[in-house]
Amino acid sequence: MKNLIGILTIFALLTGCTSQKMMLIYKTEGVEIGQNTSGIDILKKYSISKPITALRSSLSLCIAQELDNSPVVLINENYYGSHWWSYYNMPNHQSITVSGGETIKLVEGNNVVASAVTNYQYYSKYFVSYTLTATRNKNDINYLFSNIKQAQQYTGSSVNDGFENIKTVARAHPDLVIESLNKEVAKIHECLERQ
């Protein structure tokens, strides 16, 4: 009996350490799941449509004003602290600067293609880069996000690998990535309806 309890305890610890797929992301409307070269599920695309109630500004102007494609600095630092206490960073002078560039890439007819970066906070700061294709239709605007990747700003003593595909596991926070993309849509839509 003691052996069985010991085996079950070890099994529980091992399975608790592995990151499980976030099933919620598979049920989120507008999410398209793909696979990376290793066959692991990743967040491939995300689309959402918003109705047009009153269009007071141009789509390309609002995208240029509201989205940001500035360079980001990703840092590899040693730190002391925990999720509950302040972090004390001890720089080791290893960082990656990921170039930004022009936000608007193409304006053609009712379509605007842009590249941008946003962020969210989950104990540490995460940057999310993406390509947005916004299409103005008669009654709505469709926002299609592709090439979605993320990077953690501070990776502690681990090497900072820069922007990577977003896996569908809980530790990759695909739900927070979608939330940050929805905030980008909200900013554009508020600009379009602003007087």
Side-chain angles (χ1 to χ4, degrees):
M1 185 65 174
K2 286 184 180 179
N3 288 343
L4 180 61
I5 292 172
I7 291 171
L8 289 175
T9 303
I10 291 170
F11 179 75
L13 288 171
L14 290 175
T15 56
C17 293
T18 60
S19 191
Q20 300 297 318
K21 285 187 179 180
M22 181 176 277
M23 298 314 293
L24 173 69
I25 206 67
Y26 289 86
K27 298 174 184 175
T28 303
E29 190 175 341
V31 168
E32 183 182 327
I33 304 295
Q35 290 187 334
N36 65 13
T37 54
S38 303
I40 297 170
D41 286 358
I42 59 168
L43 185 62
K44 187 174 181 182
K45 294 180 182 177
Y46 173 61
S47 65
I48 185 171
S49 292
K50 290 284 188 181
I52 301 170
T53 53
L55 200 58
R56 296 187 172 92
S57 190
S58 81
L59 183 57
S60 58
L61 178 63
C62 283
I63 288 174
Q65 283 180 337
E66 300 299 328
L67 301 188
D68 185 13
N69 200 25
S70 298
V72 296
V73 177
L74 308 175
I75 301 169
N76 172 12
E77 288 185 341
N78 294 317
Y79 61 88
Y80 295 98
S82 73
H83 296 311
W84 300 279
W85 296 293
S86 299
Y87 286 89
Y88 300 95
N89 289 318
M90 299 177 66
N92 63 8
H93 306 295
Q94 294 183 14
S95 64
I96 304 168
T97 301
V98 182
S99 302
E102 294 295 321
T103 303
I104 301 287
K105 300 296 182 186
L106 175 72
V107 178
E108 187 175 288
N110 292 333
N111 301 298
V112 179
V113 179
S115 292
V117 177
T118 187
N119 64 74
Y120 67 89
Q121 192 82 24
Y122 185 83
Y123 298 116
S124 180
K125 190 174 193 176
Y126 290 81
F127 291 103
V128 178
S129 68
Y130 60 85
T131 300
L132 170 65
T133 304
T135 304
R136 180 180 167 188
N137 302 307
K138 184 177 179 182
N139 298 316
D140 66 8
I141 296 176
N142 179 261
Y143 300 92
L144 172 65
F145 295 91
S146 59
N147 197 28
I148 309 167
K149 298 186 179 200
Q150 77 173 344
Q152 188 172 348
Q153 184 176 27
Y154 297 100
T155 56
S157 57
S158 303
V159 174
N160 198 325
D161 293 323
F163 283 92
E164 298 180 328
N165 290 320
I166 300 151
K167 296 176 184 173
T168 59
V169 294
R171 69 171 182 229
H173 321 294
D175 57 331
L176 297 179
V177 171
I178 296 299
E179 187 179 306
S180 69
L181 297 178
N182 284 334
K183 288 178 181 175
E184 297 286 84
V185 169
K187 288 192 298 188
I188 297 166
H189 229 64
E190 285 170 18
C191 172
L192 290 170
E193 295 178 347
R194 202 178 296 141
Q195 289 190 2

